[in-house]
Amino acid sequence: MDVKIKATVGFTLTGTALEDALAEYDELSVVGLLKEVVDKGIACDDIEVEVTEGPNTLEEYDSQQGQG
């Protein structure tokens, strides 16, 4: 029997860690990065990820840094 699990995850990381992670994974979005991590940890048939707050791409991160 298939099981669907829905969870909300929030985390904080340094900007350099985000930049390094996105660069290492060919500049995926945060959504793509989380999908890769979850899929490698446990094989899933379908992974849905949504960023509801904060930058999702390196470009969004860079634009937020320019506003500070």
Side-chain angles (χ1 to χ4, degrees):
M1 174 175 72
D2 291 346
V3 176
K4 181 173 183 171
I5 299 171
K6 186 173 185 176
T8 301
V9 177
F11 56 93
T12 302
L13 63 157
T14 64
T16 55
L18 178 62
E19 287 177 304
D20 292 345
L22 292 177
E24 182 176 334
Y25 286 95
D26 296 325
E27 296 190 26
L28 289 174
S29 61
V30 171
V31 165
L33 182 62
L34 289 173
K35 283 183 177 183
E36 290 290 326
V37 169
V38 171
D39 194 36
K40 291 213 183 322
I42 52 174
C44 296
D45 294 328
D46 183 40
I47 303 170
E48 296 176 22
V49 177
E50 177 182 354
V51 173
T52 57
E53 185 177 323
N56 185 40
T57 63
L58 197 52
E59 290 79 18
E60 290 174 7
Y61 169 79
D62 288 342
S63 85
Q64 285 185 359
Q65 296 308 301
Q67 295 174 2

